[in-house]
Amino acid sequence: MKKILALLLAAVMAFSLVACSGDKDPDPTPTGTEPTGAFDYSTLKLGVVMPEADHGFTGESVAHARAEVEAQATEKGFQFQIETKGEAAAQIAAIETMLSWGANVIVLWPTEGDQLRSAAQTVVESGVKLIIYDRLINDFEGMAAEIMGDNETIGNWMGDYMVNYFKEQLEAGETVDYLRFIGDSSTVSAQRSSGSDAAIAAAGYTDQFKAVNGQSDFVTNWSAATAQEQMENWLNSASKEDIESLDVIITHDDEIVDGITIALDNYYSSNPAAQLNVKLITGVGARRETLATYDETVANGIELVTYFFSPSFVREAIRLALATAAGEQYDGQDINGQLFLIASEQVDKTNVEEFRQSEKFAERYSLSE
């Protein structure tokens, strides 16, 4: 009987304690800070403005952007518009259309940064979140974030690679004679060139890297056909001495490499007695087709070093835009107007097979399988 009474008393006391605390939330939320739940993507209108698909890289980039946006929109339920325009004026008109449509976030890949400055400022002033991809707008502020491949590091690596490749020649006090084929006048080309030059300068060999006969950089506009024509014209007009002195061809893109490779092979085939002493060509992209070309002997055994830079990088710009819209972090960081850099990888004959088996290579070609 005593045991039963004791149990009853304990139960009553426990009930009293619960009753006393029952009018309070055990984990109260202060007034005005109630959790709002997950972001409502049905309110989102995402605009994407890109260059036209005028060559392979941009064509694949547009395809990757569409694939990423469509997959994300199907999953999350937001509206989107994608415009591909080759001229700055057309991109400006596309931005105006998207603002009228009511875009909340715009991803902008400018054809030319400075020409898009005013339109970008209009986006910012309208309160729309702006993500700038690939080609930056110099000294521009107010965007939600910028994102691009790490062009300066690519340039640094390229410069370091050439210094090491020609180490014996440089240490002997000899010059390394080069031709350089850049993409265009954008920040991408500027960063790749300056990064390469800075690495050579840091190694103390600036005076020993010489443009052949003072030749200016060739501006290819990222075109294989243009690069081929430029290389052929140079080979047909340069002196025998200049042609034979050429050690390395520096480029900013694998498609440029492709055009130059055709020109070199044609020249060597047409002039079998010619002394073609190019030892190395540099690229950016690590394209499947370019790598395959250099699996074979190219123009008397020229070697290739290239740097992974993929059309699939644009997917990261879309992911960054969605994180911005939802007020989330990107890549483990708060989004506060900073520049995010997408990492690259150096690829040459020593690691090309390993690279072909990587996840990044698989995503790069996921739309063509």
Side-chain angles (χ1 to χ4, degrees):
M1 187 67 176
K2 289 181 179 179
K3 288 183 179 180
I4 293 173
L5 289 172
L7 289 171
L8 287 171
L9 180 60
V12 170
M13 292 177 65
F15 178 79
S16 298
L17 289 171
V18 171
C20 290
S21 62
D23 60 347
K24 290 188 177 181
D25 188 333
D27 184 19
T29 301
T31 302
T33 61
E34 288 81 9
T36 58
F39 177 72
D40 182 6
Y41 281 97
S42 68
T43 65
L44 174 61
K45 290 184 174 182
L46 172 66
V48 180
V49 180
M50 304 176 64
E52 280 183 336
D54 57 357
H55 68 287
F57 186 90
T58 49
E60 290 182 68
S61 295
V62 169
H64 275 286
R66 289 191 183 280
E68 184 69 24
V69 170
E70 288 171 1
Q72 294 276 8
T74 298
E75 177 187 342
K76 295 179 167 65
F78 58 84
Q79 299 179 59
F80 66 88
Q81 288 186 4
I82 300 176
E83 294 284 351
T84 58
K85 303 296 182 182
E87 301 295 329
Q91 285 198 327
I92 292 168
I95 290 171
E96 292 171 350
T97 298
M98 287 180 179
L99 291 175
S100 297
W101 170 61
N104 312 105
V105 180
I106 292 177
V107 176
L108 172 62
W109 179 353
T111 53
E112 287 290 342
D114 285 342
Q115 295 182 43
L116 270 294
R117 181 182 303 277
S118 179
Q121 187 63 42
T122 300
V123 173
V124 170
E125 291 175 354
S126 69
V128 173
K129 295 176 180 177
L130 178 65
I131 305 296
I132 300 175
Y133 172 67
D134 190 60
R135 299 172 187 173
L136 305 184
I137 303 174
N138 288 319
D139 302 319
F140 184 78
E141 298 180 354
M143 63 278 170
E146 300 167 306
I147 184 167
M148 66 189 307
D150 195 349
N151 293 300
E152 189 167 352
T153 295
I154 287 171
N156 289 156
W157 288 351
M158 192 182 293
D160 286 337
Y161 193 94
M162 289 188 289
V163 166
N164 290 325
Y165 191 94
F166 293 102
K167 188 175 183 64
E168 291 185 8
Q169 197 167 321
L170 292 166
E171 289 182 344
E174 300 173 10
T175 63
V176 173
D177 294 344
Y178 70 86
L179 294 176
R180 180 153 61 187
F181 293 75
I182 68 173
D184 56 20
S185 60
S186 70
T187 56
V188 173
S189 287
Q191 289 171 334
R192 291 177 186 176
S193 290
S194 63
S196 176
D197 292 345
I200 292 170
Y205 292 117
T206 296
D207 292 341
Q208 288 174 250
F209 274 82
K210 300 284 189 181
V212 176
N213 200 22
Q215 174 67 54
S216 300
D217 292 346
F218 294 94
V219 181
T220 66
N221 292 313
W222 310 101
S223 166
T226 299
Q228 179 181 343
E229 181 181 3
Q230 290 170 337
M231 190 73 219
E232 288 172 343
N233 289 341
W234 184 83
L235 288 167
N236 289 329
S237 61
S239 68
K240 179 176 180 291
E241 181 182 19
D242 283 348
I243 292 172
E244 292 180 358
S245 73
L246 182 59
D247 294 304
V248 57
I249 300 173
I250 305 166
T251 87
H252 285 176
D253 185 75
D254 281 3
E255 290 183 57
I256 299 174
V257 172
D258 294 344
I260 291 171
T261 301
I262 293 171
L264 291 172
D265 278 337
N266 289 343
Y267 177 80
Y268 192 68
S269 297
S270 302
N271 302 274
Q275 293 295 314
L276 191 61
N277 298 313
V278 181
K279 304 170 187 68
L280 178 69
I281 187 166
T282 75
V284 178
R287 293 175 70 243
R288 178 170 57 188
E289 298 82 358
T290 307
L291 293 174
T293 298
Y294 279 79
D295 286 339
E296 307 296 331
T297 300
V298 173
N300 204 29
I302 299 172
E303 294 185 13
L304 170 73
V305 60
T306 184
Y307 299 87
F308 179 61
F309 198 99
S310 173
S312 61
F313 281 5
V314 73
R315 291 176 178 264
E316 294 301 325
I318 304 302
R319 294 163 187 166
L320 174 57
L322 295 177
T324 301
E328 299 171 348
Q329 290 187 326
Y330 170 79
D331 197 26
Q333 301 179 56
D334 291 336
I335 302 169
N336 295 313
Q338 74 269 42
L339 171 63
F340 292 93
L341 296 174
I342 306 171
S344 183
E345 179 178 345
Q346 182 170 278
V347 182
D348 66 2
K349 64 182 181 181
T350 67
N351 68 334
V352 63
E353 289 307 322
E354 179 183 356
F355 173 72
R356 285 179 171 128
Q357 302 304 315
S358 67
E359 291 184 9
K360 62 183 68 174
F361 188 82
E363 182 177 60
R364 163 76 167 81
Y365 291 103
S366 60
L367 300 182
S368 59
E369 299 301 335

